[in-house]
Amino acid sequence: GPTRKMPLTASAMDFFQLFVPDNVLKNMVVQTNMYAKKYQERFGNDDAWIDVTLTEMKAFLGYMISTSIHHCESVLSIWSSGFYSNKSIALIMTQSRFEKILKYFHIVAFRSSQTTHSLYKIQPFLDSLQNGFDSAFKPSQAQVLHEPLIDEDPVFIATCTERELRKRKKRKFSLWVRQCSSTGFICQIYVHLKEGSGSDGLDALKNKPQLHSMVAKSLCQNASGKNYIIFTGPSITSLNLFEEFEKQEIYCCGLLSTRKSDCTGLPPSMLSNSATPQSRGQYRIRMKGNMSLICWYNKGHFRFLTNAYSPVQQGVIIKRKSGEIPCPLAVEAFAAHLSYICKYDDKYSKYFISHKPNKTWQQVFWFAISIAINNAYILYKMSEAYHVTRYSRAQFGERLVKELLGLEDTSPTH
């Protein structure tokens, strides 16, 4: 749960600033102004540009975040006369001023000579965000590694052509997270670029099990020695990775697929389906030290690799129609924790910022901001302030937008 107690009067802004404090926003102001100056020195003076202030930067973020609540096809719809116009917030800043800030917006204006990382324009922000996640929340023992579901803008999907949709979905990066499965709080973010050379680029993509193993190690680099139980999907599950994690006192439970998983070192007899028909709930087990390979049957064969649960401990999967189906405890635990993450995706994925910039670093930035707001709401729901105001996720987002725009006092007692 939360590591600090927030006051009863804590506002949406207070929770958001646990992850994006004023010093981070002030840095955005400095870097944006530096980039604007550099840009104009190279391409000519822009008479319409005036240096951005902290108040304007907060308003700029507020406009962007508003697209996560109202799902307008463009943030510029706020100033239009159409369905998504919003006169109450449009008066804070003119459209032309917003577009100028959007044109020059930067987190890192200059590339240093030592920088080789492709995400250098956003890495300081991601590092700051990670520090905020680590200091504000202590996760439960059970956690999940996965790619969160990121909803595409429903209006765009309804109106675009198939070719536009295919083009839109080709992101140049994949976003992976380590997530607390009992609360949904995202503890760590890992961004993998799909382009470039070297270990972070296409060379790694040619060997997907190796890539996913690298992703898992990066996400768990701060988890060693804490006895966490990590649940993984087929793309990450492998005997070599789980044995490596066990040495770091990280225990695992993963779904295994003969098509998607790295099955090196596993007995072939457990990877092939038996010829004799089986009844639901039957399972076979092979063990090596603390590692168990479970083959469980339920209208098909499901294989699990785990060193976190004893294979002899019994559990049940409850189905509405067929009642209880017996299974090992590892299977029951896996189903329970993965179903929670599905519920998280259903509830929170619709609140990702709709703005889709062309630059990869900006896409990553808006996804990271969306995750920070979802985490802020989770902390709000676990605080005493929630019992005073009881905002829904949409209301929390609207409140945050108004506070960033300076439309409301940040005290929720009004």
Side-chain angles (χ1 to χ4, degrees):
T3 57
R4 67 190 80 178
K5 189 175 180 180
M6 299 293 281
L8 286 169
T9 55
S11 64
M13 187 74 166
D14 292 332
F15 287 97
F16 176 65
Q17 292 215 299
L18 291 173
F19 311 124
V20 188
D22 268 353
N23 65 315
V24 172
L25 297 175
K26 285 173 183 173
N27 180 62
M28 292 179 194
V29 170
V30 171
Q31 297 293 329
T32 298
N33 289 333
M34 284 170 64
Y35 181 79
K37 185 179 178 184
K38 170 188 163 187
Y39 185 93
Q40 289 174 57
E41 284 172 359
R42 186 174 177 184
F43 297 106
N45 199 34
D46 185 349
D47 295 329
W49 173 253
I50 305 165
D51 277 0
V52 70
T53 63
L54 179 60
T55 303
E56 285 183 312
M57 185 57 71
K58 287 182 177 179
F60 172 76
L61 290 179
Y63 284 126
M64 286 297 193
I65 292 166
S66 71
T67 67
S68 67
I69 305 154
H70 305 295
H71 298 290
C72 46
E73 65 257 42
S74 166
V75 65
L76 300 180
S77 303
I78 291 167
W79 292 275
S80 71
S81 55
F83 181 78
Y84 289 105
S85 63
N86 192 332
K87 296 290 185 284
S88 63
I89 66 174
L91 298 172
I92 303 298
M93 185 185 288
T94 63
Q95 181 178 337
S96 59
R97 178 59 177 164
F98 174 85
E99 288 184 276
K100 283 293 177 192
I101 298 172
L102 181 61
K103 178 181 178 181
Y104 296 122
F105 175 68
H106 264 71
I107 296 165
V108 175
F110 301 102
R111 183 171 192 156
S112 68
S113 55
Q114 294 86 19
T115 304
T116 56
H117 199 284
S118 304
L119 286 173
Y120 77 94
K121 285 196 172 186
I122 195 179
Q123 198 59 52
F125 175 77
L126 294 178
D127 293 341
S128 168
L129 202 61
Q130 188 58 56
N131 290 335
F133 291 169
D134 291 341
S135 61
F137 185 82
K138 189 175 181 181
S140 64
Q141 184 185 27
Q143 294 165 40
V144 181
L145 305 186
H146 72 121
E147 288 184 273
L149 179 68
I150 299 169
D151 266 7
E152 288 287 343
D153 173 19
V155 173
F156 177 84
I157 286 177
T159 57
C160 73
T161 64
E162 193 176 329
R163 184 171 173 272
E164 285 175 324
L165 189 61
R166 280 201 306 272
K167 185 180 176 184
R168 176 73 164 269
K169 287 195 171 181
K170 284 183 182 176
R171 290 196 195 97
K172 294 178 181 178
F173 65 94
S174 56
L175 187 72
W176 293 76
V177 299
R178 176 164 59 86
Q179 188 168 15
C180 170
S181 64
S182 58
T183 60
F185 189 94
I186 288 176
C187 309
Q188 195 160 348
I189 300 172
Y190 178 80
V191 181
H192 172 75
L193 293 176
K194 296 178 182 176
E195 289 189 344
S197 58
S199 61
D200 282 346
L202 284 172
D203 296 341
L205 269 175
K206 289 171 186 173
N207 188 342
K208 286 208 169 184
Q210 187 184 357
L211 164 67
H212 292 140
S213 175
M214 178 190 76
V215 168
K217 288 173 189 174
S218 298
L219 285 171
C220 295
Q221 60 189 358
N222 300 326
S224 59
K226 297 179 181 176
N227 288 315
Y228 287 152
I229 297 175
I230 304 293
F231 292 88
T232 64
S235 60
I236 292 176
T237 303
S238 79
L239 179 62
N240 292 335
L241 179 67
F242 283 14
E243 286 178 337
E244 197 174 323
F245 275 168
E246 190 174 352
K247 292 172 186 172
Q248 302 172 37
E249 295 179 41
I250 302 170
Y251 301 93
C252 304
C253 180
L255 182 63
L256 195 69
S257 163
T258 51
R259 191 167 53 88
K260 294 181 181 178
S261 305
D262 178 6
C263 297
T264 308
L266 298 174
S269 61
M270 291 291 285
L271 301 177
S272 57
N273 298 337
S274 59
T276 55
Q278 291 181 285
S279 57
R280 294 175 74 179
Q282 280 191 327
Y283 56 89
R284 295 179 290 149
I285 298 167
R286 288 285 294 274
M287 292 186 69
K288 178 190 174 184
N290 292 331
M291 200 71 65
S292 306
L293 175 56
I294 302 166
C295 182
W296 177 68
Y297 184 82
N298 177 27
K299 290 187 176 179
H301 291 87
F302 295 88
R303 294 172 179 85
F304 297 86
L305 190 65
T306 181
N307 56 4
Y309 296 92
S310 165
V312 296
Q313 284 187 285
Q314 291 293 311
V316 288
I317 299 286
I318 299 172
K319 298 282 186 181
R320 272 180 288 183
K321 290 184 179 178
S322 49
E324 294 184 352
I325 304 166
C327 65
L329 183 63
V331 178
E332 180 187 344
F334 184 90
H337 291 295
L338 264 290
S339 68
Y340 191 95
I341 296 306
C342 290
K343 288 176 186 173
Y344 173 91
D345 281 342
D346 290 344
K347 183 173 182 179
Y348 292 103
S349 65
K350 64 167 83 66
Y351 294 110
F352 276 76
I353 291 168
S354 296
H355 177 66
K356 299 291 189 295
N358 292 325
K359 292 185 174 68
T360 299
W361 74 265
Q362 289 185 5
Q363 292 174 22
V364 173
F365 175 76
W366 296 119
F367 285 143
I369 286 284
S370 302
I371 287 171
I373 298 167
N374 285 339
N375 276 355
Y377 180 68
I378 289 167
L379 290 189
Y380 159 72
K381 282 197 77 174
M382 298 173 77
S383 73
E384 292 179 359
Y386 177 70
H387 300 291
V388 177
T389 49
R390 289 192 173 272
Y391 294 135
S392 67
R393 173 63 183 83
Q395 289 170 328
F396 183 86
E398 286 174 353
R399 185 85 195 186
L400 177 60
V401 168
K402 287 180 178 178
E403 287 166 13
L404 283 166
L405 290 165
L407 286 171
E408 287 192 22
D409 187 336
T410 54
S411 167
T413 52
H414 290 294

